[in-house]
Amino acid sequence: MVDILDAARYLVFLSYGRKQYSLTPLKLQKLLYLAQGWSYVWDRRAAFWDEFEAWQYGPVNERVYETFKKYGRSEIPQREGRDLLEDFDVRETLTAIWNDYGRMTAYDLVELTHHQQPWCNAYARGSSITNNSIKQYFQSTF
């Protein structure tokens, strides 16, 4: 398990690897949410302890939001990236998420998460998206 900000910075690092796709703060949030879900499927454990909130445009982690909100709708600059994840399973999960979902736009990912139960249920209740709800959904669906 890693700190979610370290995971976010690793995704920024990956986004500049072959520089095929841009990474905005909105897109970053959705990729982290997907990484959490797929980590439960592939590794049977959470990638990070942090949870997400159900905001209008999908899952959002408050710490990640506060760190990267200064970039608004712009691409997160390369200087924010870090290749410092020691947890091999999480590195592998984040790399797979970038390779599979990185080509999608932020708004494609918003649409994707809007059709998934963890966000739908939490948004309807006005509550947080628990890691347990992400775990149950991804393990039962994928």
Side-chain angles (χ1 to χ4, degrees):
M1 206 170 310
V2 302
D3 183 275
I4 196 167
L5 290 176
D6 291 337
R9 292 183 188 289
Y10 185 70
L11 282 169
V12 174
F13 166 78
L14 290 176
S15 76
Y16 283 92
R18 285 181 276 155
K19 202 57 201 141
Q20 295 176 313
Y21 317 112
S22 70
L23 183 60
T24 63
L26 181 62
K27 185 174 177 177
L28 176 63
Q29 293 282 356
K30 308 317 160 233
L31 294 175
L32 289 166
Y33 162 82
L34 291 166
Q36 185 76 315
W38 282 108
S39 185
Y40 283 118
V41 173
W42 297 328
D43 303 321
R44 298 270 185 239
R45 66 182 174 97
F48 26 80
W49 287 111
D50 299 68
E51 293 193 338
F52 293 84
E53 297 176 20
W55 288 17
Q56 179 181 0
Y57 293 106
V60 171
N61 174 272
E62 186 72 31
R63 288 179 58 219
V64 173
Y65 174 78
E66 289 299 324
T67 300
F68 295 100
K69 70 181 180 181
K70 60 189 166 208
Y71 301 114
R73 294 181 180 184
S74 300
E75 188 167 349
I76 300 169
Q78 185 172 6
R79 70 177 177 274
E80 292 283 6
R82 302 283 185 280
D83 182 19
L84 297 174
L85 284 185
E86 293 185 15
D87 186 313
F88 177 78
D89 291 334
V90 176
R91 280 179 74 96
E92 197 171 56
T93 295
L94 291 168
T95 300
I97 292 302
W98 180 252
N99 290 338
D100 290 347
Y101 295 99
R103 70 188 179 325
M104 297 175 76
T105 69
Y107 294 101
D108 291 336
L109 294 169
V110 167
E111 282 298 309
L112 176 70
T113 60
H114 276 193
H115 289 94
Q116 294 182 342
Q117 287 178 350
W119 178 86
C120 292
N121 293 342
Y123 193 72
R125 290 188 317 266
S127 65
S128 293
I129 302 170
T130 66
N131 281 334
N132 193 47
S133 70
I134 295 171
K135 176 182 179 179
Q136 288 177 354
Y137 172 75
F138 274 81
Q139 286 184 342
S140 69
T141 306
F142 301 104

